[in-house]
């Protein structure tokens, strides 16, 4: 699996080879449990942060090591990253890792390198995404995150857009989806 990851910053904490091990034999607790996020850029509901925190808290016993993959491209991603940081503080005994998965290089990442390093344990770019056109890179990165995940936490309120397409892809891959949006079940058909 390591060949599918290209590290952006070599001096950040390295991912161990076992990061993408999945539960085997229907066990309730994995060695590692990987969760990703997909949501619209803007969040229109006031209590989403509490719902995300409740959802993260419900996952705390799913693995000895919890890895959260975040795209970092909108309000929902920022809210989820903040909730993972909250979870890390609340459960310092757990091995919880927050990874930013970027679709392409940007000047902002280089200019604010220490800022990003302080927010995320890892900054990754999936192998091959760097060659994609920038409009195709985001969906390709999103599919990669779903391919690594044991579950997906989403904020989907409409049946179009990149977040919706990411959830549709997760459904096809039989990845469990937890939609924290109000009225969520109707959106993911």
């Amino acid at each position: 699996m390591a060949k599918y990851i290209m590290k952006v910053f070599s001096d950040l904490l390295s991912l161990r080879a076992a990061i993408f091990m999945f539960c085997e034999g229907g066990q309730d607790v994995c060695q590692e449990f990987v969760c990703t996020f997909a949501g619209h850029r803007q969040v229109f509901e006031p209590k989403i942060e509490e719902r995300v925190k409740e959802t993260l808290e419900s996952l705390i016993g799913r693995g000895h090591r919890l890895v959260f993959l975040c795209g970092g491209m909108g309000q929902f991603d920022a809210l989820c990253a903040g909730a993972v940081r909250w979870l890390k503080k609340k459960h310092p005994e757990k091995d919880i890792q927050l990874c930013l998965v970027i679709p392409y290089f940007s000047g902002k990442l280089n200019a604010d390198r220490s800022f990003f390093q302080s927010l995320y344990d890892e900054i990754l770019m999936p192998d091959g995404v760097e060659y994609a056109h920038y409009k195709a890179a985001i969906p390709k990165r999103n599919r990669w995150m779903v391919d690594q995940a044991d579950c997906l936490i989403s904020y989907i309120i409409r049946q179009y857009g990149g977040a919706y397409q990411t959830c549709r892809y997760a459904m096809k891959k039989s990845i469990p989806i937890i939609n924290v949006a109000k009225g969520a079940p109707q959106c993911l058909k």
Side-chain angles (χ1 to χ4, degrees), residues 13-180:
L13 300 172
S14 65
L15 283 176
R16 294 195 294 260
I19 191 168
F20 297 113
M21 289 174 52
F22 298 103
C23 294
E24 294 182 21
Q27 298 173 0
D28 285 339
V29 179
C30 305
Q31 287 299 313
E32 299 215 337
F33 186 80
V34 180
C35 179
T36 191
F37 306 103
H40 305 301
R41 283 187 184 266
Q42 292 183 308
V43 175
F44 301 102
E45 296 176 43
K47 302 220 179 214
I48 292 298
E49 186 171 13
E50 288 98 35
R51 284 189 236 150
V52 170
K53 286 181 177 179
E54 288 171 12
T55 303
L56 292 178
E57 190 70 45
S58 74
L59 298 176
I60 200 72
R62 296 292 298 173
H64 298 292
R65 176 177 160 96
L66 300 171
V67 178
F68 295 93
L69 303 176
C70 185
M73 296 199 89
Q75 191 177 3
F76 183 70
D77 282 346
L79 188 144
C80 290
V84 171
R85 286 184 211 99
W86 166 83
L87 190 70
K88 288 173 76 165
K89 286 181 184 171
K90 186 172 181 184
H91 294 281
E93 77 284 359
K94 294 295 269 185
D95 186 3
I96 300 172
Q97 186 167 23
L98 177 60
C99 302
L100 174 64
V101 184
I102 59 172
Y104 42 73
F105 293 108
S106 71
K108 180 178 164 185
L109 200 58
N110 287 332
D112 297 328
R113 181 178 176 166
S114 61
F115 172 73
F116 283 101
Q117 287 175 325
S118 71
L119 293 179
Y120 297 96
D121 299 305
E122 280 286 336
I123 301 174
L124 308 170
M125 176 184 280
D127 192 29
V129 172
E130 71 274 16
Y131 302 114
H133 184 274
Y134 76 96
K135 287 187 177 184
I138 294 170
K140 190 171 183 175
R141 181 271 320 262
N142 291 349
R143 287 189 301 273
W144 182 87
M145 291 193 310
V146 168
D147 289 341
Q148 312 314 309
D150 294 307
C151 83
L152 181 139
I153 298 173
S154 69
Y155 173 74
I156 304 297
I157 59 172
R158 55 185 175 261
Q159 294 182 335
Y160 58 87
Y164 175 72
Q165 292 304 320
T166 300
C167 284
R168 296 282 300 184
Y169 180 73
M171 290 171 68
K172 288 178 187 173
K173 302 284 283 179
S174 300
I175 303 295
I177 299 169
I178 304 164
N179 194 346
V180 297

